[in-house]
């Protein structure tokens, strides 16, 4: 396993047991992203950085005709994800695999090279080489498909004290909100061919972005 994978296992070895219960209060915008995915019937949905599997299970409930795939670098999180998927009765619909977001082989892991929908929820802020992960995600999008991202914003419309406190707390968990996400998405759309979109949510608390690939 890579050094980052070992780090994530260390961070979440115990937190994974309470992750979903605690994160639902501040990982805002995830369910809105899922509601907007709108995969075609029988279409494949890939989550990069799938963590505990919470988002994929929600996708499965909202979009019951989608095929679901998830990749994560942390074996500890995948252990929890597999158990959660089984409890939800979705083992036959969800395929999980260990891999580095910056350079996994979807064909080797999942038997397919592309997906109609790819999404990343609050994971880019935890990946040191996050721009590489963004490029990798776009490569996995089928022509006409969509890449969707939600993550922490820059808190620009919120009090400075709030921003300092939040960023300080996030740093303890190796989380760094990406100020350059907007520019990176626009460059990626130009380089790979696609239509980008980026907008802030909740007065800058979160950011939604992505692209439609041509």
């Amino acid at each position: 396993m890579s050094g980052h994978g070992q780090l994530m296992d260390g961070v979440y070895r115990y937190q994974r047991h309470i992750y979903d219960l605690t994160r639902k209060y501040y990982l805002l915008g995830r369910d809105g992203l899922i509601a907007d995915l709108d995969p075609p019937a029988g279409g494949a949905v890939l989550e990069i950085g799938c963590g505990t599997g919470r988002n994929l299970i929600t996708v499965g409930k909202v979009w019951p005709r989608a095929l679901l795939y998830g990749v994560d670098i942390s074996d500890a999180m995948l252990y929890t994800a597999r158990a959660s998927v089984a409890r939800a009765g979705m083992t036959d619909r969800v395929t999980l695999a260990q891999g580095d977001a910056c350079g996994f082989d979807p064909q080797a892991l999942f038997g397919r090279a592309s997906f109609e929908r790819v999404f990343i929820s609050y994971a880019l802020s935890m990946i040191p080489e996050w721009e590489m992960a963004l490029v990798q995600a776009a490569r996995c999008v089928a022509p006409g498909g969509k890449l969707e991202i939600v993550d922490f914003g820059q808190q620009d419309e919120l009090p400075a004290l709030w921003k300092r406190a939040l960023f300080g707390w996030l740093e303890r968990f190796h989380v760094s909100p990406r100020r350059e996400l907007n520019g990176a998405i626009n460059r990626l759309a130009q380089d790979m061919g696609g239509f980008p979109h980026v907008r802030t949510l909740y007065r800058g608390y979160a950011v939604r972005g992505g692209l439609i690939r041509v």
Side-chain angles (χ1 to χ4, degrees):
M1 185 187 296
S2 70
H4 185 58
Q6 292 174 334
L7 175 63
M8 291 298 98
D9 270 355
V11 169
Y12 292 114
R13 180 166 289 112
Y14 302 109
Q15 283 196 52
R16 63 193 172 93
H17 300 295
I18 60 170
Y19 185 91
D20 291 334
L21 179 64
T22 58
R23 267 56 176 185
K24 69 179 181 179
Y25 297 109
Y26 64 88
L27 298 186
L28 306 180
R30 296 181 297 172
D31 291 340
L33 182 154
I34 290 169
D36 293 341
L37 281 177
D38 193 21
V45 178
L46 169 66
E47 181 179 15
I48 297 175
C50 63
T52 64
R54 179 266 183 194
N55 292 331
L56 281 174
I57 292 168
T58 304
V59 173
K61 293 176 180 177
V62 175
W63 304 106
R65 300 176 70 183
L67 305 174
L68 309 175
Y69 301 85
V71 62
D72 201 283
I73 199 170
S74 169
D75 283 328
M77 287 297 242
L78 286 169
Y79 183 87
T80 296
R82 292 187 179 100
S84 297
V85 167
R87 284 195 301 272
M90 293 187 183
T91 302
D92 60 337
R93 291 184 57 204
V94 180
T95 303
L96 301 172
Q98 194 275 336
D100 188 331
C102 298
F104 64 93
D105 181 350
Q107 185 68 53
L109 294 181
F110 303 117
R112 61 186 306 143
S114 63
F115 306 80
E116 282 69 40
R117 301 291 184 267
V118 178
F119 73 100
I120 310 174
S121 172
Y122 286 93
L124 286 182
S125 53
M126 301 191 71
I127 300 172
E129 301 295 334
W130 65 274
E131 290 184 272
M132 291 177 59
L134 191 61
V135 171
Q136 173 67 21
R139 287 174 179 159
C140 292
V141 179
K146 296 195 299 185
L147 169 63
E148 295 288 345
I149 299 156
V150 64
D151 215 313
F152 290 106
Q154 294 299 308
Q155 321 298 307
D156 291 332
E157 298 178 46
L158 293 166
L161 181 61
W162 164 267
K163 179 176 180 176
R164 288 196 299 271
L166 177 64
F167 278 26
W169 186 77
L170 292 175
E171 188 176 3
R172 296 176 57 191
F173 299 98
H174 309 279
V175 177
S176 300
R178 306 305 183 186
R179 178 174 290 278
E180 298 302 319
L181 181 59
N182 189 337
I185 289 173
N186 282 288
R187 289 192 299 272
L188 184 61
Q190 183 174 14
D191 292 343
M192 300 192 70
F195 301 98
H197 67 88
V198 181
R199 71 181 190 273
T200 58
L201 306 174
Y202 313 111
R203 298 178 61 195
Y205 178 87
V207 59
R208 273 279 308 270
L211 59 85
I212 301 174
R213 190 168 183 185
V214 297

